[in-house]
C-alpha cells in the first residue's frame, strides 16, 4: 500500500533532519589537535650493508613554535644534512635527514665480523634548544632501528621486532627509558668497512644499556621508513570529510523535497480538472458526408432494369409484360 505523496514528504524531511542532527556535531566540532598543543617526535636510524648509517629526526609541533629558520638551526643539523620544513593550519613539521659516510657516527658500531651495537638517547624538548609554551608536552614518541640484511637479536624493554626476508625493524613506541639500545648482526658486502660509534660533530654517543632482552617477532608490522610523521592526523581528515558530507546531505534533502512538491502539485492539478478522455482515444461519430454509396451495391430497380447496351427495338417482343436482361448468346426466337 503506497502512502500519499504528502506523507512521503513528511517522512523524508524527518529522516533528513535526524541525519543532520547526527552529523552536524561531527562536522562542526573543532579537531582535537586544534585545541591541544602537543609535540610528536619520531627518530629513525638505518644501517646499510657497507656500514653506512643514516639518522632521521621528525618533529611535529602543534604549538607551531618551530619555524623554518629554527628548524634549519637545530643542533642535529650538519652541513650536509637535508632539512625539510612544512606547515599547515594546525601544526609545523621539521624533518632532518643526515647520512654518516665517514665510518664514524654517534649511534651504530659494527666490527669486522658484522656484529652490531646500537645505543641512542631519545630527543627531549631541551635538546631542541627552543622555548615552548608551558602547556606543550611530548605526547607521542617513536624510535626505530632498521637495515638491509640486518638481524636484531636483543634490545632494551618495550621493543617490537618486525622481520621481513631481507631486513629487521626494531621499534620502540613511547618507551619509558631515555636511552635505548640493541644488538644484532649485519651481512656484509664487498664495500663494507667497520663503523665506530662515538661522539661526532657535537652529537654525543650514549652509553650502551645493560638491560637488553631477546627480541621476539611482533605480530603487527611497524610503520614504514618514509611514512613516519608524514600523514595528517585522523581528526583533520574526519573534520574535512564531515563538512563535505553535511553539504551533500543538505543538497540531497532540498532536491528531494523539491521533486516531491512538484509531484504533489501535478497530482492536485489532475484531481481538480477531473478525468477527461484524450481526443485521440474518443470514438468519431459518422456524418452525412461520410455516408457514401457502395459502388458494388445495386438497388431493386437496377437489378431488373434492361441494359441499354444489349437490347434493340428489333429484338424486343412487344407482347412481353416484363422486361429483363437478354442473354446475348441465345438466338432470337422467330
Amino acid at each position: 500500500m503506497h502512502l500519499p505523496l504528502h506523507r512521503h514528504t513528511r517522512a523524508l524531511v524527518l529522516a533528513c533532519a535526524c541525519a543532520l542532527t547526527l552529523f552536524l556535531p561531527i562536522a562542526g566540532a573543532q579537531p582535537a589537535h586544534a585545541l591541544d598543543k602537543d609535540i610528536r617526535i619520531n627518530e629513525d636510524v638505518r644501517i646499510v650493508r657497507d656500514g653506512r648509517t643514516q639518522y632521521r629526526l621528525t618533529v611535529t609541533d602543534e604549538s607551531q613554535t618551530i619555524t623554518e629558520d629554527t628548524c634549519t638551526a637545530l643542533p642535529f643539523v650538519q652541513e650536509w644534512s637535508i632539512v625539510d620544513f612544512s606547515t599547515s593550519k594546525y601544526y609545523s613539521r621539521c624533518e632532518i635527514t643526515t647520512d654518516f659516510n665517514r665510518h664514524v657516527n654517534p649511534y651504530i658500531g659494527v666490527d669486522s665480523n658484522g656484529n652490531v651495537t646500537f645505543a641512542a638517547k631519545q630527543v627531549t624538548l631541551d635538546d631542541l634548544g627552543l622555548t615552548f609554551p608551558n602547556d606543550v608536552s611530548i605526547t607521542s614518541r617513536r624510535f626505530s632501528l632498521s637495515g638491509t640484511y640486518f638481524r636484531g637479536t636483543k634490545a632494551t624493554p618495550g621493543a617490537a621486532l618486525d622481520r621481513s626476508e631481507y631486513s629487521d625493524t626494531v621499534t620502540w613506541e613511547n618507551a619509558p627509558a631515555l636511552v635505548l639500545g640493541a644488538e644484532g648482526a649485519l651481512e656484509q658486502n664487498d664495500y663494507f668497512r667497520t663503523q665506530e660509534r662515538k661522539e661526532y660533530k657535537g652529537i654525543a654517543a650514549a652509553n650502551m644499556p645493560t638491560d637488553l632482552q631477546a627480541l621476539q617477532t611482533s605480530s603487527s608490522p611497524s610503520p614504514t621508513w618514509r611514512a613516519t610523521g608524514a600523514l595528517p592526523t585522523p581528526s583533520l581528515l574526519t573534520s574535512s570529510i564531515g563538512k563535505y558530507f553535511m553539504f551533500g546531505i543538505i543538497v540531497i534533502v532540498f532536491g528531494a523535497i523539491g521533486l516531491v512538491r512538484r509531484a504533489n502539485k501535478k497530482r492536485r492539478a489532475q484531481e481538480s480538472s477531473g478525468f477527461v478522455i484524450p481526443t485521440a482515444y474518443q470514438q468519431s461519430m459518422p456524418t452525412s458526408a461520410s455516408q457514401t454509396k457502395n459502388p458494388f451495391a445495386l438497388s431493386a430497380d437496377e437489378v431488373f432494369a434492361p441494359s441499354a447496351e444489349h437490347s434493340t427495338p428489333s429484338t424486343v417482343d412487344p407482347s412481353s409484360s416484363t422486361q429483363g436482361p437478354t442473354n446475348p448468346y441465345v438466338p432470337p426466337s422467330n
Side-chain angles (χ1 to χ4, degrees):
M1 179 178 182
H2 297 285
L3 294 174
L5 288 179
H6 65 278
R7 295 185 61 186
H8 278 300
T9 303
R10 291 200 301 266
L12 179 61
V13 172
L14 181 60
C16 293
C18 294
L20 290 176
T21 303
L22 293 175
F23 283 98
L24 276 175
I26 298 176
Q30 292 292 330
H33 64 276
L35 302 177
D36 300 334
K37 296 180 180 179
D38 301 332
I39 291 182
R40 298 185 298 275
I41 297 180
N42 295 328
E43 296 180 78
D44 301 274
V45 175
R46 185 175 179 85
I47 184 174
V48 295
R49 295 182 68 184
D50 59 5
R52 290 179 295 124
T53 298
Q54 183 184 74
Y55 172 77
R56 175 172 295 155
L57 170 66
T58 304
V59 181
T60 304
D61 175 22
E62 293 179 353
S63 69
Q64 296 187 327
T65 302
I66 299 179
T67 63
E68 186 171 7
D69 293 336
T70 57
C71 176
T72 56
L74 290 179
F76 302 93
V77 178
Q78 307 292 337
E79 62 266 23
W80 65 90
S81 298
I82 299 176
V83 179
D84 183 14
F85 178 80
S86 60
T87 185
S88 71
K89 181 179 179 181
Y90 302 107
Y91 62 86
S92 59
R93 180 172 170 270
C94 176
E95 181 180 276
I96 303 168
T97 304
T98 305
D99 289 320
F100 295 92
N101 298 326
R102 301 181 180 179
H103 313 294
V104 174
N105 70 88
Y107 309 104
I108 289 181
V110 187
D111 63 18
S112 58
N113 296 321
N115 297 317
V116 177
T117 56
F118 160 78
K121 173 181 172 293
Q122 297 190 86
V123 173
T124 64
L125 293 182
D126 294 337
D127 297 330
L128 298 178
L130 301 176
T131 302
F132 292 91
N134 295 330
D135 56 348
V136 169
S137 62
I138 298 177
T139 58
S140 176
R141 187 194 299 272
R142 178 183 177 275
F143 205 121
S144 69
L145 168 67
S146 62
T148 307
Y149 292 95
F150 165 72
R151 294 301 184 193
T153 56
K154 295 181 179 181
T156 50
L161 174 63
D162 178 28
R163 173 159 293 173
S164 63
E165 185 177 359
Y166 298 108
S167 66
D168 280 2
T169 300
V170 183
T171 305
W172 293 266
E173 295 281 356
N174 299 318
L178 186 59
V179 178
L180 307 177
E183 291 181 354
L186 178 68
E187 183 179 328
Q188 307 165 10
N189 61 11
D190 296 338
Y191 303 98
F192 171 79
R193 289 189 57 178
T194 60
Q195 299 293 309
E196 185 178 2
R197 189 178 67 86
K198 67 177 185 179
E199 181 180 350
Y200 185 79
K201 296 289 185 179
I203 303 176
N207 295 326
M208 191 68 188
T210 57
D211 57 341
L212 301 182
Q213 301 174 354
L215 283 169
Q216 301 294 331
T217 304
S218 175
S219 57
S220 58
S222 59
T224 57
W225 168 256
R226 268 309 295 182
T228 52
L231 297 177
T233 56
S235 54
L236 179 60
L237 294 176
T238 303
S239 176
S240 300
I241 294 175
K243 291 180 181 179
Y244 285 115
F245 189 86
M246 181 188 68
F247 178 76
I249 286 290
I250 294 176
V251 172
I252 293 174
V253 168
F254 283 99
I257 292 176
L259 292 176
V260 173
R261 286 182 175 178
R262 183 179 179 183
N264 283 335
K265 183 177 180 180
K266 186 176 181 181
R267 176 180 60 83
R268 288 192 296 267
Q270 292 178 351
E271 291 177 351
S272 60
S273 61
F275 180 75
V276 179
I277 300 177
T279 305
Y281 293 96
Q282 295 180 3
Q283 184 178 4
S284 60
M285 300 300 293
T287 61
S288 59
S290 64
Q291 295 178 352
T292 58
K293 182 180 179 181
N294 189 345
F296 300 100
L298 297 177
S299 63
D301 296 336
E302 292 174 335
V303 171
F304 296 101
S307 175
E309 182 181 357
H310 299 101
S311 61
T312 60
S314 61
T315 59
V316 175
D317 187 2
S319 61
S320 178
S321 59
T322 60
Q323 296 181 355
T326 305
N327 190 347
Y329 298 102
V330 177
S333 58
N334 294 325

